[in-house]
Amino acid sequence: MDTLETRELRYFVAVAEELHFGRAAERLGMAQPPLSRAIQQLERRLGVCLLERNRRGVRLTDAGEVLLQEGRAALDATAAAARRTRRAGGADSPRNRLVLAVKAAASHELLQKLLDAYAAEPDSAEVEVVPCSINEQEELLRDGRADAALMHTPWNSLAGFDSEPLATEGQVAVLPAGHPLAAHATLSLADVGDIPGLPLARWPTRGAYAPGPGPEIHNQTQLAQLIALGRTVAIVPDSARSWLWAEHTAVPLTDAPPVVTHIAWPAHSRSLTLAGLVRTAVRL
């Protein structure tokens, strides 16, 4: 048995996330007995045990962990297909409009060059630019709300996408302008990794923050203010200089890995309009 039904995946993902059949049934708007039977039938069809059930509750097996990850991805892909199909049949067809997800204030110069160059193409479509919060471009691209995205490695994951690299840049440390380290011509990662009273800002990865004393950053405005107030230091791409305040100083880092900006799009896309945008981006 090599196929799974969307309904089966929805049932299993709900149980796997809740680890409780009663809560999962309530979330799905159904009774518990048919949900339990559906999961048991799924296990029989697959020939593996997905859930261990005992008096203490429900636990995922190794096979269940795999199906949870794969099932989430499959449901996301199904939802993305539905969104793109509705857009294709509506007034704002992808033939005439593309949605481009970008990180707010990142790669501003590159983005402007791309939009200007693409607008000059004879068959160009309207491009709706959607500024995103930290790491949100990947989410919009995966769930079908965006046709393409400007992504930045090593921070964004390109897994499951087609992509082309567009630009490479170094990184800088952004410090309060009055801090002693702000007077240096260059700094190392070690220099900014443990500054007394000035902890590194923490960025979310897959919705979670790594442990540490620095503040959790939710958006660019919050970060800018905390740096200006002398509460944190941040490591950002060199192009982020465009949003710095007078209260900030950017100092190049000598040993930080380069940041590569890519244009990324769904691997299964056959959109000629999207292909035109990608060709323009690669020629920049």
Side-chain angles (χ1 to χ4, degrees), residues 100 114 148-151 162-164 166 261-265 277-278 281:
L100 177 65
L114 171 58
L150 293 185
M151 311 268 270
D162 283 340
S163 64
E164 288 284 351
L166 303 182
T261 298
H262 306 253
I263 186 168
W265 64 96
L277 177 68
V278 172

Side-chain angles (χ1 to χ4, degrees), residues 18-156:
E18 299 290 345
L19 292 179
H20 191 282
F21 277 86
R23 290 194 298 269
E26 183 177 356
R27 168 174 154 181
L28 292 165
M30 63 188 297
Q32 182 175 334
L35 176 60
S36 297
R37 289 194 297 270
I39 299 299
Q40 290 169 356
Q41 181 181 14
L42 176 60
E43 289 178 315
R44 287 195 297 269
R45 289 178 61 208
L46 289 173
V48 296
C49 176
L50 300 170
L51 300 164
E52 291 183 355
R53 310 156 179 86
N54 54 44
R55 293 180 179 178
R56 293 190 296 274
V58 178
R59 188 181 73 83
L60 286 171
T61 64
D62 290 344
E65 292 280 3
V66 171
L67 186 57
L68 174 59
Q69 299 304 316
E70 297 290 345
R72 282 171 171 162
L75 292 174
D76 286 347
T78 301
R83 289 190 182 96
R84 292 191 175 99
T85 300
R86 283 195 295 269
R87 286 172 51 205
D92 292 327
S93 167
R95 292 179 181 273
N96 303 312
R97 183 171 69 94
L98 291 170
V99 177
L100 177 65
V102 302
K103 182 181 176 183
S107 306
H108 174 75
E109 183 177 354
L110 175 64
L111 175 59
Q112 190 62 64
K113 287 181 179 178
L114 171 58
L115 295 176
D116 290 345
Y118 181 65
E121 294 292 324
D123 297 322
S124 63
E126 176 189 353
V127 178
E128 178 186 349
V129 177
V130 180
C132 298
S133 57
I134 300 166
N135 291 329
E136 190 183 10
Q137 314 100 288
E138 181 182 338
E139 178 184 339
L140 267 64
L141 193 54
R142 290 194 190 281
D143 70 13
R145 286 177 287 167
D147 300 297
L150 293 185
M151 311 268 270
H152 311 280
T153 57
W155 299 309
N156 296 131

Side-chain angles (χ1 to χ4, degrees), residues 127-272:
V127 178
E128 178 186 349
V129 177
V130 180
C132 298
S133 57
I134 300 166
N135 291 329
E136 190 183 10
Q137 314 100 288
E138 181 182 338
E139 178 184 339
L140 267 64
L141 193 54
R142 290 194 190 281
D143 70 13
R145 286 177 287 167
D147 300 297
L150 293 185
M151 311 268 270
H152 311 280
T153 57
W155 299 309
N156 296 131
S157 171
L158 298 174
F161 301 127
D162 283 340
S163 64
E164 288 284 351
L166 303 182
T168 301
E169 60 185 313
Q171 298 193 65
V172 297
V174 182
L175 303 109
H179 194 277
L181 289 179
H184 289 226
T186 62
L187 293 168
S188 69
L189 289 172
D191 291 332
V192 298
D194 189 22
I195 304 174
L198 200 64
L200 272 170
R202 292 186 291 141
W203 311 90
T205 302
R206 303 293 186 275
Y209 290 86
E216 296 181 354
I217 301 304
H218 305 286
N219 56 60
Q220 174 195 318
T221 301
Q222 175 207 20
L223 175 64
Q225 186 166 38
L226 289 175
I227 295 173
L229 292 171
R231 302 300 178 89
T232 191
V233 58
I235 296 174
V236 298
D238 186 72
S239 58
R241 292 175 185 267
S242 61
W243 57 258
L244 297 187
W245 299 358
E247 295 87 350
H248 301 151
T249 295
V251 181
L253 292 168
T254 58
D255 56 351
V259 176
V260 182
T261 298
H262 306 253
I263 186 168
W265 64 96
H268 55 76
S269 175
R270 298 295 181 268
S271 167
L272 296 179

